[in-house]
Amino acid sequence: MNSAPASALAARIEEYASRLSPELSEVRRDIHMHPELSYEEVRTTRVVVEYLQKLGIECEPPFLETGVVALLKGANYKEGSPIIALRADIDALPLNEENSHGFCSLEPGKMHACGHDMHTAMLLGAAVILASIKDELQGGVLLIFQPAEEKAPGGARPLIEAGIFKKFSPVAILGQHCFPSVPSGKVALCKGSFMAATDELYFTVSGQGGHASAPHKAADPVLAAAHIITAVQHLVSRVVPPHEPAVVSIASIHGGSAPNIIPSTVTMSGTMRTMNEELRALLHKKLQATVTHVAEGMGVTAELEIRHGYPALVNDAEITRQAAIACAEYLGRENVLDSEPLMTAEDFAYYLQEIPGTFWQIGTGTAEQERGNTLHSPTFNPDEKALVTGAGLFAYSACRFLENAAGRP
C-alpha cells in the first residue's frame, strides 16, 4: 500500500467523519433509547433502511425478518468488481439500564449494553462517507447490519444459510467491536485465534430425596453436584495442554426448598470456552464421561446437555496485516495496538469460516474510566468520540482494501 495517496485520502475521510459527529451521536442515541432484543429488531431495521434510502443506497430484499443488507456501488462498479464487506450488529441485551445520562433506554429490561448501537451508527456513518466519494471507489461495499448477535444461533449463520455469500462474493469482511478497555481513538488487532468457541452446559443431577437428618437413607444430589463441580475443573488443569486457553465455569446451581430436606434433583448451568475445534470436541467427550462417572460413584444419575454456541473466531493473518496497515495510516501507528486472544465469543466467527476477514477492538474507554463501564454492564457508557473514529476507519479501510483488490498501489 502506497502511503502518499493514502495520507491524503485519510485526511479527507477524517475531516468528513468529524463533521458527522453530531449526526452520529443523534442516530446512536435514538437507537440506544429504543433497544430491541435478538430477532425483534423491527424498529432498528426500519431506521437503518430509511437512513440508507436517504443516501440513495438501495437495500437488498430481506435475507431475514430483521436486519439490513445493502451494496454501495462505486461509480464505475460492474459485475466482477471487487467487494469488501463491513458488518455491524444491531440487537440489544435483556437488562435494565442504570445510567443517568439523558438518553437512557425507554424499554424496561432492554439495553444496548454491548455497544451495538455504536456499531450501527458507525457503519451508517461509513456509508455516508463512502457515498460521498463513490466516484473514487474501486468496487462495492457490502453493508451488513446483522440481527441477533447476542443470542444463539445468532444472525450470522442464518444470513449465510440464506445465501448472502452466494449472491455476493466479498474479497474480505471487516468488523469492529467497542471495548472500554481500549482507549478511545485507538484500536487493537489480533492475528489468528482471537475469540473463543462457546458452549452452554446444562446439568441435571437426580437422586433420592429424604430427611436431612438421615442422609444414609437418601441419595443426595446436592453432594453429588458439588463433586461434579470440583471434578470438571480438573479438565482445564489436567486435560487441556498448558499452552491452550480454555475455561469451564459453573455459573448457577439450583436445588432444595428447606434446610432439613434433601432434594431429589439439582440443576446447574455453566459455560465452556475453547480456542480450537479439536480441543472443543475433546472436552465435550471428557465432560460427559466425568459427569456420568462422578454421579455413579455418588449413587445418583446425572445428565449433561451441551448446547453448541459460536465457533472460535479466527482472524485471517494476511487480512489482519492489511487491516493493521490501514488502521495505522488512518489513526497513526501509535494508536494501533496488539490484542491478546479473548475468551469472549462472537458470531462474526461464522463469516470467517466462509471468507477471509478480521475483527478488531475499537476503543471506547476514557482517561478516567468510571467503575462499571464494562461490556454487558447496566452502566456501560462508551465514549461517543469513538463514533467518529469507527465511521472514518470503516470507510478508509474499505477504500484501501478495494484499491488493493483492484491492483492499485
Side-chain angles (χ1 to χ4, degrees), residues 130-157:
L130 292 167
S132 73
I133 59 172
K134 63 182 181 180
D135 288 350
E136 302 175 42
L137 286 182
Q138 304 299 306
V141 181
L142 188 64
L143 308 171
I144 302 174
F145 295 86
Q146 180 210 298
E149 187 279 325
E150 293 290 358
K151 185 176 181 179
R157 190 173 69 180

mmCIF file of all heavy atoms in Angstrom, residues 130-157:
data_model
loop_
_atom_site.group_PDB
_atom_site.id
_atom_site.type_symbol
_atom_site.label_atom_id
_atom_site.label_comp_id
_atom_site.label_asym_id
_atom_site.label_seq_id
_atom_site.Cartn_x
_atom_site.Cartn_y
_atom_site.Cartn_z
ATOM 1 N N LEU A 130 -18.662 6.979 2.379
ATOM 2 C CA LEU A 130 -18.396 6.234 1.148
ATOM 3 C C LEU A 130 -19.310 6.682 0.017
ATOM 4 O O LEU A 130 -18.892 6.740 -1.145
ATOM 5 C CB LEU A 130 -18.554 4.735 1.414
ATOM 6 C CG LEU A 130 -17.497 4.120 2.333
ATOM 7 C CD1 LEU A 130 -17.910 2.728 2.791
ATOM 8 C CD2 LEU A 130 -16.140 4.068 1.630
ATOM 9 N N ALA A 131 -20.555 7.005 0.347
ATOM 10 C CA ALA A 131 -21.468 7.500 -0.688
ATOM 11 C C ALA A 131 -20.989 8.830 -1.253
ATOM 12 O O ALA A 131 -21.203 9.133 -2.436
ATOM 13 C CB ALA A 131 -22.873 7.641 -0.110
ATOM 14 N N SER A 132 -20.317 9.612 -0.426
ATOM 15 C CA SER A 132 -19.844 10.923 -0.874
ATOM 16 C C SER A 132 -18.617 10.825 -1.767
ATOM 17 O O SER A 132 -18.292 11.773 -2.493
ATOM 18 C CB SER A 132 -19.527 11.804 0.333
ATOM 19 O OG SER A 132 -18.340 11.381 0.979
ATOM 20 N N ILE A 133 -17.908 9.690 -1.721
ATOM 21 C CA ILE A 133 -16.696 9.522 -2.542
ATOM 22 C C ILE A 133 -16.815 8.305 -3.462
ATOM 23 O O ILE A 133 -15.803 7.724 -3.859
ATOM 24 C CB ILE A 133 -15.434 9.392 -1.658
ATOM 25 C CG1 ILE A 133 -15.553 8.192 -0.702
ATOM 26 C CG2 ILE A 133 -15.181 10.667 -0.869
ATOM 27 C CD1 ILE A 133 -14.262 7.893 0.051
ATOM 28 N N LYS A 134 -18.047 7.946 -3.817
ATOM 29 C CA LYS A 134 -18.222 6.724 -4.598
ATOM 30 C C LYS A 134 -17.595 6.820 -5.982
ATOM 31 O O LYS A 134 -17.315 5.801 -6.618
ATOM 32 C CB LYS A 134 -19.698 6.352 -4.702
ATOM 33 C CG LYS A 134 -20.579 7.344 -5.431
ATOM 34 C CD LYS A 134 -22.025 6.854 -5.416
ATOM 35 C CE LYS A 134 -22.952 7.808 -6.147
ATOM 36 N NZ LYS A 134 -24.363 7.317 -6.119
ATOM 37 N N ASP A 135 -17.333 8.042 -6.467
ATOM 38 C CA ASP A 135 -16.642 8.186 -7.747
ATOM 39 C C ASP A 135 -15.225 7.614 -7.678
ATOM 40 O O ASP A 135 -14.641 7.287 -8.710
ATOM 41 C CB ASP A 135 -16.565 9.661 -8.154
ATOM 42 C CG ASP A 135 -17.924 10.204 -8.588
ATOM 43 O OD1 ASP A 135 -18.848 9.391 -8.756
ATOM 44 O OD2 ASP A 135 -18.049 11.433 -8.722
ATOM 45 N N GLU A 136 -14.699 7.499 -6.482
ATOM 46 C CA GLU A 136 -13.325 7.017 -6.306
ATOM 47 C C GLU A 136 -13.264 5.559 -5.844
ATOM 48 O O GLU A 136 -12.174 4.984 -5.781
ATOM 49 C CB GLU A 136 -12.588 7.900 -5.291
ATOM 50 C CG GLU A 136 -12.552 9.375 -5.677
ATOM 51 C CD GLU A 136 -11.925 10.218 -4.592
ATOM 52 O OE1 GLU A 136 -10.903 9.783 -4.028
ATOM 53 O OE2 GLU A 136 -12.463 11.310 -4.300
ATOM 54 N N LEU A 137 -14.406 4.974 -5.501
ATOM 55 C CA LEU A 137 -14.409 3.596 -5.009
ATOM 56 C C LEU A 137 -14.046 2.634 -6.138
ATOM 57 O O LEU A 137 -14.618 2.711 -7.231
ATOM 58 C CB LEU A 137 -15.771 3.224 -4.440
ATOM 59 C CG LEU A 137 -16.156 3.805 -3.079
ATOM 60 C CD1 LEU A 137 -17.526 3.290 -2.670
ATOM 61 C CD2 LEU A 137 -15.123 3.442 -2.024
ATOM 62 N N GLN A 138 -13.151 1.719 -5.852
ATOM 63 C CA GLN A 138 -12.686 0.750 -6.843
ATOM 64 C C GLN A 138 -13.474 -0.558 -6.771
ATOM 65 O O GLN A 138 -12.919 -1.636 -6.949
ATOM 66 C CB GLN A 138 -11.191 0.473 -6.623
ATOM 67 C CG GLN A 138 -10.315 1.699 -6.651
ATOM 68 C CD GLN A 138 -10.397 2.411 -7.990
ATOM 69 O OE1 GLN A 138 -10.178 1.812 -9.036
ATOM 70 N NE2 GLN A 138 -10.707 3.705 -7.952
ATOM 71 N N GLY A 139 -14.770 -0.454 -6.476
ATOM 72 C CA GLY A 139 -15.597 -1.652 -6.362
ATOM 73 C C GLY A 139 -16.849 -1.337 -5.575
ATOM 74 O O GLY A 139 -17.400 -0.244 -5.662
ATOM 75 N N GLY A 140 -17.290 -2.307 -4.784
ATOM 76 C CA GLY A 140 -18.508 -2.137 -3.999
ATOM 77 C C GLY A 140 -18.253 -2.435 -2.530
ATOM 78 O O GLY A 140 -17.319 -3.166 -2.177
ATOM 79 N N VAL A 141 -19.090 -1.855 -1.672
ATOM 80 C CA VAL A 141 -19.000 -2.091 -0.231
ATOM 81 C C VAL A 141 -20.313 -2.718 0.222
ATOM 82 O O VAL A 141 -21.381 -2.106 0.085
ATOM 83 C CB VAL A 141 -18.729 -0.782 0.534
ATOM 84 C CG1 VAL A 141 -18.617 -1.072 2.032
ATOM 85 C CG2 VAL A 141 -17.468 -0.098 0.017
ATOM 86 N N LEU A 142 -20.240 -3.924 0.739
ATOM 87 C CA LEU A 142 -21.420 -4.635 1.220
ATOM 88 C C LEU A 142 -21.645 -4.262 2.677
ATOM 89 O O LEU A 142 -20.820 -4.574 3.546
ATOM 90 C CB LEU A 142 -21.229 -6.149 1.079
ATOM 91 C CG LEU A 142 -22.456 -7.013 1.363
ATOM 92 C CD1 LEU A 142 -23.565 -6.732 0.350
ATOM 93 C CD2 LEU A 142 -22.079 -8.496 1.342
ATOM 94 N N LEU A 143 -22.734 -3.574 2.935
ATOM 95 C CA LEU A 143 -23.069 -3.112 4.280
ATOM 96 C C LEU A 143 -23.983 -4.147 4.929
ATOM 97 O O LEU A 143 -25.089 -4.398 4.445
ATOM 98 C CB LEU A 143 -23.768 -1.757 4.214
ATOM 99 C CG LEU A 143 -23.049 -0.662 3.415
ATOM 100 C CD1 LEU A 143 -23.958 0.546 3.241
ATOM 101 C CD2 LEU A 143 -21.740 -0.271 4.090
ATOM 102 N N ILE A 144 -23.530 -4.746 6.023
ATOM 103 C CA ILE A 144 -24.295 -5.793 6.699
ATOM 104 C C ILE A 144 -24.668 -5.301 8.094
ATOM 105 O O ILE A 144 -23.807 -5.142 8.961
ATOM 106 C CB ILE A 144 -23.497 -7.099 6.804
ATOM 107 C CG1 ILE A 144 -23.066 -7.594 5.420
ATOM 108 C CG2 ILE A 144 -24.308 -8.173 7.526
ATOM 109 C CD1 ILE A 144 -22.144 -8.803 5.457
ATOM 110 N N PHE A 145 -25.956 -5.035 8.296
ATOM 111 C CA PHE A 145 -26.484 -4.682 9.615
ATOM 112 C C PHE A 145 -27.167 -5.946 10.143
ATOM 113 O O PHE A 145 -28.316 -6.225 9.820
ATOM 114 C CB PHE A 145 -27.457 -3.512 9.500
ATOM 115 C CG PHE A 145 -26.811 -2.233 9.032
ATOM 116 C CD1 PHE A 145 -26.661 -1.976 7.673
ATOM 117 C CD2 PHE A 145 -26.337 -1.302 9.939
ATOM 118 C CE1 PHE A 145 -26.074 -0.795 7.225
ATOM 119 C CE2 PHE A 145 -25.744 -0.116 9.503
ATOM 120 C CZ PHE A 145 -25.610 0.130 8.148
ATOM 121 N N GLN A 146 -26.438 -6.695 10.927
ATOM 122 C CA GLN A 146 -26.847 -8.049 11.289
ATOM 123 C C GLN A 146 -27.670 -8.101 12.566
ATOM 124 O O GLN A 146 -27.298 -7.502 13.577
ATOM 125 C CB GLN A 146 -25.606 -8.922 11.464
ATOM 126 C CG GLN A 146 -25.918 -10.355 11.839
ATOM 127 C CD GLN A 146 -24.829 -10.978 12.666
ATOM 128 O OE1 GLN A 146 -23.704 -11.100 12.200
ATOM 129 N NE2 GLN A 146 -25.130 -11.378 13.896
ATOM 130 N N PRO A 147 -28.786 -8.831 12.558
ATOM 131 C CA PRO A 147 -29.556 -9.017 13.785
ATOM 132 C C PRO A 147 -28.954 -10.110 14.657
ATOM 133 O O PRO A 147 -28.111 -10.901 14.222
ATOM 134 C CB PRO A 147 -30.929 -9.446 13.256
ATOM 135 C CG PRO A 147 -30.609 -10.206 12.004
ATOM 136 C CD PRO A 147 -29.427 -9.480 11.399
ATOM 137 N N ALA A 148 -29.387 -10.130 15.912
ATOM 138 C CA ALA A 148 -29.272 -11.307 16.776
ATOM 139 C C ALA A 148 -27.857 -11.820 16.997
ATOM 140 O O ALA A 148 -27.631 -13.018 16.963
ATOM 141 C CB ALA A 148 -30.144 -12.434 16.220
ATOM 142 N N GLU A 149 -26.918 -10.943 17.274
ATOM 143 C CA GLU A 149 -25.585 -11.447 17.624
ATOM 144 C C GLU A 149 -25.565 -12.005 19.035
ATOM 145 O O GLU A 149 -24.792 -12.902 19.343
ATOM 146 C CB GLU A 149 -24.541 -10.331 17.490
ATOM 147 C CG GLU A 149 -23.099 -10.799 17.668
ATOM 148 C CD GLU A 149 -22.661 -10.958 19.102
ATOM 149 O OE1 GLU A 149 -23.106 -10.168 19.968
ATOM 150 O OE2 GLU A 149 -21.873 -11.884 19.398
ATOM 151 N N GLU A 150 -26.444 -11.469 19.903
ATOM 152 C CA GLU A 150 -26.364 -11.787 21.324
ATOM 153 C C GLU A 150 -27.016 -13.112 21.718
ATOM 154 O O GLU A 150 -26.845 -13.558 22.846
ATOM 155 C CB GLU A 150 -27.022 -10.662 22.143
ATOM 156 C CG GLU A 150 -26.289 -9.336 22.095
ATOM 157 C CD GLU A 150 -24.960 -9.349 22.836
ATOM 158 O OE1 GLU A 150 -24.620 -10.397 23.421
ATOM 159 O OE2 GLU A 150 -24.274 -8.323 22.825
ATOM 160 N N LYS A 151 -27.753 -13.726 20.826
ATOM 161 C CA LYS A 151 -28.493 -14.926 21.217
ATOM 162 C C LYS A 151 -28.292 -16.023 20.178
ATOM 163 O O LYS A 151 -28.605 -15.851 19.013
ATOM 164 C CB LYS A 151 -29.987 -14.601 21.369
ATOM 165 C CG LYS A 151 -30.832 -15.755 21.882
ATOM 166 C CD LYS A 151 -32.268 -15.323 22.089
ATOM 167 C CE LYS A 151 -33.125 -16.459 22.624
ATOM 168 N NZ LYS A 151 -34.533 -16.050 22.853
ATOM 169 N N ALA A 152 -27.777 -17.149 20.625
ATOM 170 C CA ALA A 152 -27.575 -18.283 19.728
ATOM 171 C C ALA A 152 -28.913 -18.721 19.127
ATOM 172 O O ALA A 152 -29.943 -18.667 19.806
ATOM 173 C CB ALA A 152 -26.928 -19.433 20.486
ATOM 174 N N PRO A 153 -28.925 -19.126 17.861
ATOM 175 C CA PRO A 153 -27.769 -19.375 16.991
ATOM 176 C C PRO A 153 -27.182 -18.147 16.337
ATOM 177 O O PRO A 153 -26.314 -18.267 15.482
ATOM 178 C CB PRO A 153 -28.353 -20.318 15.929
ATOM 179 C CG PRO A 153 -29.782 -19.854 15.807
ATOM 180 C CD PRO A 153 -30.193 -19.481 17.197
ATOM 181 N N GLY A 154 -27.633 -16.951 16.729
ATOM 182 C CA GLY A 154 -27.091 -15.732 16.158
ATOM 183 C C GLY A 154 -27.652 -15.426 14.790
ATOM 184 O O GLY A 154 -28.407 -16.202 14.207
ATOM 185 N N GLY A 155 -27.267 -14.263 14.264
ATOM 186 C CA GLY A 155 -27.766 -13.859 12.962
ATOM 187 C C GLY A 155 -26.820 -14.129 11.817
ATOM 188 O O GLY A 155 -27.235 -14.147 10.653
ATOM 189 N N ALA A 156 -25.540 -14.347 12.114
ATOM 190 C CA ALA A 156 -24.559 -14.536 11.043
ATOM 191 C C ALA A 156 -24.816 -15.826 10.274
ATOM 192 O O ALA A 156 -24.866 -15.831 9.037
ATOM 193 C CB ALA A 156 -23.148 -14.527 11.616
ATOM 194 N N ARG A 157 -24.975 -16.920 10.984
ATOM 195 C CA ARG A 157 -25.162 -18.209 10.302
ATOM 196 C C ARG A 157 -26.445 -18.242 9.471
ATOM 197 O O ARG A 157 -26.423 -18.684 8.312
ATOM 198 C CB ARG A 157 -25.134 -19.360 11.313
ATOM 199 C CG ARG A 157 -25.087 -20.737 10.651
ATOM 200 C CD ARG A 157 -24.889 -21.841 11.659
ATOM 201 N NE ARG A 157 -26.054 -22.007 12.514
ATOM 202 C CZ ARG A 157 -26.142 -22.912 13.487
ATOM 203 N NH1 ARG A 157 -25.101 -23.694 13.740
ATOM 204 N NH2 ARG A 157 -27.226 -23.012 14.224
#
